């Protein structure tokens, strides 16, 4: 019995174009591997939909004949499959990227997909910790660790998240040569899209990292990861998440007390202390100011809550 022929979901010319687009995303756009893979899956889902929608594996020319209604039909199908608005918006973003890539090569037009609005997701405000809780998390980060060097490591990582506003991926991608000095200073961070920024490091954060470096039992070559797991390999974000999960149980913190909540806390507490929004945008590495402006809503929410608690007529 012979194996069934593989399912063909796109014509050869479109398959070649999609492969080039994915290389372009990784090599020229310098998107992260996870984002590139997610965009690729979105394109594959769309092409599979078109195979049934137009009755045959689509070609590049078929994409140029699509109308806004065709794209909306795809989004409606994905919504019936259970995708929420944020996932639908990302899916549309990936498809737009592919179509615009082909348009730049003169092979199709993006007019139809540009006419389709992205699904609106309900805006969720960040859930930062209070100042006392954030400080407790950082100071007690290693309280439940069995090894002193693991306790120092967890404390150093969480200090970078709250003290410097780093994403967990940014902290764990630091090499030993990039470790901040014990006295503080500036740290060059590589964020999303390969963009770099300078972040000030407080002496307290520098001391936390230095304490870990003194205790870690593995040799830290300059070009190798700064933070290590118990077997010496690169530290996994999941380990940090689990450490904070145990810690929030011990401290009585809500489930929203996650590593990323420390980054939110960094921004919210800076803003509440009079920090400039543009400066906070640069410190966080946000490409658009609108992304940072969400913290103004968080701070306003905090002020209203404080007013209600303190005002005699509250």
């Amino acid at each position: 019995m012979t194996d069934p022929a593989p399912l063909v979901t796109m014509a050869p010319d479109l398959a070649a174009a999609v492969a080039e687009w994915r290389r372009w995303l990784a090599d020229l756009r310098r998107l992260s591997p996870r984002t590139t893979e997610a965009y690729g899956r979105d394109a594959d889902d769309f092409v599979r939909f078109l195979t049934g929608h137009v009755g045959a594996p689509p070609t590049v020319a078929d994409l140029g004949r699509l109308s806004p209604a065709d794209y909306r039909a795809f989004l409606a199908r994905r919504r019936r499959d259970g995708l929420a608005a944020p996932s639908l918006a990302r899916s549309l973003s990936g498809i737009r990227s592919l179509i615009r890539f082909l348009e730049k090569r003169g092979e199709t037009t993006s007019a139809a997909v540009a006419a389709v609005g992205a699904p609106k997701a309900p805006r969720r405000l960040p859930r930062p910790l209070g100042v006392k809780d954030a400080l407790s998390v950082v100071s007690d980060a290693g309280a439940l660790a069995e090894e002193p060097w693991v306790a120092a490591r967890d404390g150093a990582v969480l200090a970078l998240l709250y003290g410097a506003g780093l994403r967990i991926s940014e902290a764990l991608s630091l090499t030993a040569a990039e470790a901040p000095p014990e006295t503080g200073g500036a740290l060059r961070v590589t964020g999303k899209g390969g963009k770099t920024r300078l972040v000030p490091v407080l002496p307290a954060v520098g001391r936390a990292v230095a304490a870990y470096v003194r205790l870690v039992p593995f040799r830290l070559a300059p070009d190798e990861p700064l933070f290590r797991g118990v077997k010496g390999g690169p530290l996994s974000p999941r380990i940090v998440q689990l450490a904070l999960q145990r810690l929030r149980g011990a401290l009585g913190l809500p489930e929203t007390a996650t590593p990323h909540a420390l980054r939110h806390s960094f921004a919210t507490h800076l803003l509440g202390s009079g920090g400039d929004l543009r400066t906070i945008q640069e410190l966080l590495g946000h490409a658009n100011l609108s992304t940072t402006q969400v913290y103004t809503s968080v701070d306003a929410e905090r002020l209203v809550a404080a007013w209600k608690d303190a005002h005699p007529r509250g």
Side-chain angles (χ1 to χ4, degrees), residues 9-10 18 22 39-49:
T9 59
M10 64 182 91
V18 168
R22 295 184 66 159
Y39 272 20
R41 286 196 303 269
D42 294 333
D44 290 342
D45 290 338
F46 181 57
V47 171
R48 277 193 293 270
F49 164 79

Side-chain angles (χ1 to χ4, degrees), residues 244-270:
L244 188 47
Q245 181 178 321
R246 293 192 297 269
L247 186 62
R248 72 181 180 228
L251 297 177
L253 299 177
E255 291 186 0
T256 54
T258 63
H260 202 65
L262 290 175
R263 175 172 154 90
H264 290 321
S265 304
F266 165 83
T268 305
H269 299 166
L270 275 183

Side-chain angles (χ1 to χ4, degrees), residues 1 14 31 73 76 85 124 148 165 178 180 198 205 219 223 237 274 283 293:
M1 183 177 178
L14 182 55
L31 298 185
R124 293 187 298 177
E178 294 170 329
L198 285 177
V205 177
R219 178 179 176 272
D223 60 344
L283 292 174
Q293 284 174 328

Side-chain angles (χ1 to χ4, degrees), residues 54-303:
V54 304
T59 65
V60 172
D62 288 328
L63 297 184
R65 289 189 283 267
L66 297 177
S67 68
D70 295 316
Y71 290 102
R72 294 191 186 101
F74 167 71
L75 294 176
R77 170 71 64 82
R78 298 299 285 148
R79 189 184 296 276
R80 290 196 298 271
D81 291 341
L83 261 68
S87 296
L88 290 171
R90 192 213 61 206
S91 183
L92 182 60
S93 177
I95 295 165
R96 280 176 173 161
S97 174
L98 171 61
I99 299 300
R100 287 170 180 163
F101 172 78
L102 295 174
E103 184 179 50
K104 288 179 180 178
R105 303 193 335 169
E107 298 180 25
T108 189
T109 173
S110 66
V113 72
V116 179
K120 299 294 184 183
R123 193 175 192 184
R124 293 187 298 177
L125 294 179
R127 300 292 297 274
L129 302 176
V131 174
K132 289 184 179 179
D133 286 341
L135 292 174
S136 295
V137 166
V138 174
S139 61
D140 297 337
L144 303 180
E146 296 181 0
E147 296 285 340
W149 78 269
V150 173
R153 179 201 68 191
D154 294 349
V157 173
L158 297 183
L160 284 167
L161 303 188
Y162 178 57
L166 269 58
R167 301 177 178 92
I168 189 170
S169 60
E170 294 170 344
L172 299 190
S173 67
L174 292 174
T175 64
E178 294 170 329
E182 188 167 357
T183 55
L187 180 65
R188 185 173 294 277
V189 179
T190 302
K192 289 186 176 181
K195 296 179 180 178
T196 61
R197 67 186 190 276
L198 285 177
V199 177
V201 175
L202 298 168
V205 177
R207 290 193 295 270
V209 176
Y212 157 71
V213 171
R214 285 194 292 269
L215 293 174
V216 63
F218 307 106
R219 178 179 176 272
L220 300 177
D223 60 344
E224 292 182 348
L226 171 62
F227 294 109
R228 305 297 183 87
V230 293
K231 294 183 179 180
L235 179 60
S236 165
R238 183 58 181 158
I239 298 301
V240 181
Q241 292 164 354
L242 289 174
L244 188 47
Q245 181 178 321
R246 293 192 297 269
L247 186 62
R248 72 181 180 228
L251 297 177
L253 299 177
E255 291 186 0
T256 54
T258 63
H260 202 65
L262 290 175
R263 175 172 154 90
H264 290 321
S265 304
F266 165 83
T268 305
H269 299 166
L270 275 183
L271 185 65
S273 299
D276 173 75
L277 199 61
R278 283 285 185 187
T279 302
I280 295 172
Q281 176 192 0
E282 293 178 6
L283 292 174
L284 293 174
H286 286 161
N288 300 310
L289 184 62
S290 60
T291 307
T292 315
Q293 284 174 328
V294 68
Y295 294 106
T296 61
S297 299
V298 175
D299 196 51
E301 193 176 70
R302 180 187 63 81
L303 291 173

